[in-house]
Amino acid sequence: MSDLFGKIKQGIDKSTKVIGAKSASLIDTNKVKSEISTLTKSREELLSKVGLLVYKADPLDFSYELVREQIEAIQLIDAQIIKKNEELEQIKIETEEKLQEINK
């Protein structure tokens, strides 16, 4: 009887650890995805601004300097999005490692 309760306790402990690991992963993943969404929206706004500036510019007097600042900001955002996607991949790897450790 004691052995049965021991096995049940082990099963509950293992399930609790799995749920904890997956919950932490889900929270971290959603946070990073939200940050990516915000960055993507900012990027789209800047792209629209560049398009509007180019459209309104005098074709005979157009200069890259007119949109340089926005393009540099877009490039920074692109780099941040890449980092956030790498964070997502790292979260996935760490979660898989935790789950493998729990299942040993």
Side-chain angles (χ1 to χ4, degrees), residues 2-104:
S2 168
D3 191 36
L4 176 64
F5 288 123
K7 287 183 180 182
I8 291 172
K9 183 182 181 305
Q10 285 177 343
I12 291 171
D13 288 345
K14 184 176 178 179
S15 296
T16 302
K17 289 177 183 178
V18 168
I19 291 169
K22 287 186 177 184
S23 295
S25 172
L26 184 61
I27 290 168
D28 292 342
T29 298
N30 285 338
K31 178 181 175 235
V32 174
K33 284 183 177 181
S34 175
E35 291 169 353
I36 290 171
S37 177
T38 300
L39 288 167
T40 301
K41 184 177 178 185
S42 296
R43 182 182 188 277
E44 289 170 359
E45 289 171 0
L46 283 168
L47 283 169
S48 292
K49 187 174 182 180
V50 168
L52 189 61
L53 287 170
V54 170
Y55 178 76
K56 287 184 174 182
D58 180 359
L60 301 176
D61 192 31
F62 179 77
S63 167
Y64 174 75
E65 290 302 312
L66 183 66
V67 293
R68 182 182 56 79
E69 186 177 312
Q70 287 79 16
I71 290 174
E72 288 174 355
I74 292 168
Q75 290 169 338
L76 277 172
I77 290 172
D78 286 342
Q80 291 173 331
I81 290 172
I82 289 169
K83 284 184 182 181
K84 294 297 176 185
N85 282 317
E86 290 170 356
E87 279 183 48
L88 281 177
E89 198 58 37
Q90 187 61 36
I91 290 168
K92 181 180 176 184
I93 291 168
E94 289 173 2
T95 301
E96 288 174 7
E97 289 173 354
K98 286 177 187 176
L99 292 174
Q100 287 176 357
E101 182 71 26
I102 291 168
N103 289 322
K104 284 185 179 179

